[in-house]
Amino acid sequence: MDCAGKGSGRRCSGPPTRRCSRCQAVAYCSISHQTSHWSVHKKECERLKQQMKFALVLNDFPFTFAKESTTQIIEKGETRCLFLIKQGVHCIGMWKYECRCEASASSTSLHCSRLIEGWNLSSSLSPCKGPPSPMLKQISNWKDYYEWRCIPLCSPVALLLHWPLTLYWAIRLATSRRSISEVNGKLLIHYLGPEKELHQLAAFSELHALFPGVEVRIDFVGPAIPQVRDGERIDLSSYPQCIETDCECKLSVNCVSQRVMQDRSSKVTLQLHAGYYHELYRDLFKGSSPDLIVAPNAGIAAYMSWLPTIELIKESKVPAFFSDYCEEAAHLASCCIRTITGCPPTIPVGIFNYSNRVSYIIVLVNLKIVAFSADPVKSI
């Protein structure tokens, strides 16, 4: 955490050890910096105080590794690398980009079109094949999802599965609010601003299990996609494999469970598009309009490039789902969207928990901004 008064004209005198006694959300290096910054901080102090009340809730996950992957890293200063090493997946396959060790090589590796196809975990810890039974009810929390997929709560796969589960949740939210019709046959999603997930695309194969019998196409659009991969198409015909040589997932190229599929065709296709959405939307809309626009961890308030994109979404009338890493970022994003569209929020910004990641939801549905308020513990 940096000193909240950093850049106010005076140099910081040391580490930010003095927290604001009211909100406990910001810290300062000295009394002078805290005093000089009060004229700015007093406008946000009460709001941050309310946000900090959720601090304990954000670490309340069902996984056996929850405290190790969140609380200990935050409070004890342990590294993410140590957690991944204990899991046996540090700097391997799709796990390479879960810590900073591979950060310098990430942009270079994106130029390679080879799809990472394995979980690097045993079959008991990973969903390397289809579910043993159909989904009897909509999944509403990680515990129910793990039980349905027969995965123990000690498995770290949720760290990667939060990408497809975010899509599942957004689609279910849109259908429940009647922003899109019930999913039947085909589903087209525009996925904006992908970055780290571009290294973990195989995880989206889980959509076979979540939407059996549905042809899902996801158009990934963003400046992080290299030009050399612009237009690349990836067909996900199977689940990522486990490390066991005699597992069922090695016996068939297409691992989609026929018991769940009941002979219905299922297809997950990814298409990469390099550039900004507002520059490419004409070509993307030529075939048909998307059912949903999704922008996970968007950082709307941090990047001016979102302004024309949000204006475009308003004109397109396509329901859109945004999220951000923290509540304050979501609050600022909501203000930006409200300024651009003229639509005030209808539901307060809410917490959206998945794995040891926490995001905050802002949903733009039919020209109305909706910040979805969910149960912070039970929601995927």
Side-chain angles (χ1 to χ4, degrees), residues 44-344:
E44 62 185 12
C45 188
E46 182 59 31
R47 183 175 69 249
L48 294 178
K49 179 181 177 180
Q50 296 304 314
Q51 293 174 12
M52 289 298 290
K53 290 181 179 180
F54 291 109
L56 294 178
V57 174
L58 302 186
N59 292 323
D60 191 2
F61 302 101
F63 310 109
T64 58
F65 59 83
K67 290 185 178 180
E68 185 179 7
S69 61
T70 55
T71 307
Q72 289 181 206
I73 290 177
I74 295 171
E75 295 182 358
K76 297 184 179 181
E78 293 186 0
T79 65
R80 187 61 172 272
C81 297
L82 180 59
F83 165 71
L84 295 171
I85 290 171
K86 290 179 180 179
Q87 297 290 330
V89 293
H90 184 241
C91 291
I92 298 176
M94 290 190 287
W95 302 93
K96 285 184 178 180
Y97 308 98
E98 288 301 306
C99 65
R100 296 181 179 180
C101 293
E102 295 289 334
S104 60
S106 62
S107 59
T108 303
S109 62
L110 270 180
H111 286 75
C112 176
S113 61
R114 183 179 67 85
L115 184 70
I116 300 172
E117 298 179 345
W119 288 115
N120 294 105
L121 294 166
S122 67
S123 61
S124 63
L125 296 177
S126 59
C128 60
K129 47 189 176 292
S133 61
M135 186 187 298
L136 299 179
K137 61 179 181 179
Q138 291 186 13
I139 299 295
S140 61
N141 60 75
W142 275 115
K143 185 178 180 181
D144 287 348
Y145 174 78
Y146 263 53
E147 289 178 353
W148 174 57
R149 292 299 268 129
C150 302
I151 307 171
L153 290 174
C154 62
S155 171
V157 290
L159 296 174
L160 305 183
L161 286 173
H162 75 97
W163 299 123
L165 266 295
T166 295
L167 289 183
Y168 170 81
W169 188 87
I171 292 165
R172 291 309 181 195
L173 172 62
T175 54
S176 68
R177 299 184 68 86
R178 298 183 180 180
S179 300
I180 64 175
S181 58
E182 285 294 327
V183 178
N184 185 20
K186 294 184 178 181
L187 189 62
L188 175 59
I189 301 170
H190 286 178
Y191 193 111
L192 313 188
E195 292 182 349
K196 186 168 70 173
E197 54 265 58
L198 294 172
H199 301 283
Q200 303 166 338
L201 292 176
F204 287 90
S205 296
E206 189 62 11
L207 293 172
H208 282 300
L210 295 168
F211 296 103
V214 178
E215 292 186 17
V216 181
R217 170 172 168 167
I218 308 174
D219 285 317
F220 289 88
V221 188
I225 298 173
Q227 285 294 330
V228 294
R229 300 189 65 180
D230 184 35
E232 179 181 335
R233 171 174 167 161
I234 302 170
D235 292 318
L236 300 179
S237 59
S238 63
Y239 296 99
Q241 298 180 353
C242 68
I243 58 175
E244 298 170 11
T245 56
D246 58 346
C247 180
E248 178 185 334
C249 69
K250 307 292 194 307
L251 303 178
S252 175
V253 175
N254 187 347
C255 305
V256 180
S257 173
Q258 294 302 315
R259 286 173 291 178
V260 176
M261 297 294 297
Q262 298 179 344
D263 296 325
R264 295 179 295 172
S265 62
S266 178
K267 187 177 182 181
V268 178
T269 304
L270 315 180
Q271 190 97 29
L272 306 185
H273 305 273
Y276 291 103
Y277 191 61
H278 56 271
E279 297 174 344
L280 304 174
Y281 80 97
R282 292 186 185 276
D283 291 333
L284 292 170
F285 275 72
K286 274 184 180 179
S288 59
S289 298
D291 298 293
L292 188 68
I293 298 172
V294 179
N297 305 320
I300 292 175
Y303 302 100
M304 291 297 294
S305 55
W306 279 112
L307 193 152
T309 292
I310 294 171
E311 290 180 335
L312 170 65
I313 291 174
K314 177 182 178 181
E315 295 174 2
S316 71
K317 298 184 180 181
V318 175
F321 171 103
F322 301 91
S323 72
D324 251 305
Y325 276 114
C326 69
E327 187 173 356
E328 182 62 10
H331 168 78
L332 296 174
S334 179
C335 292
C336 290
I337 295 176
R338 179 174 55 197
T339 299
I340 296 169
T341 64
C343 301

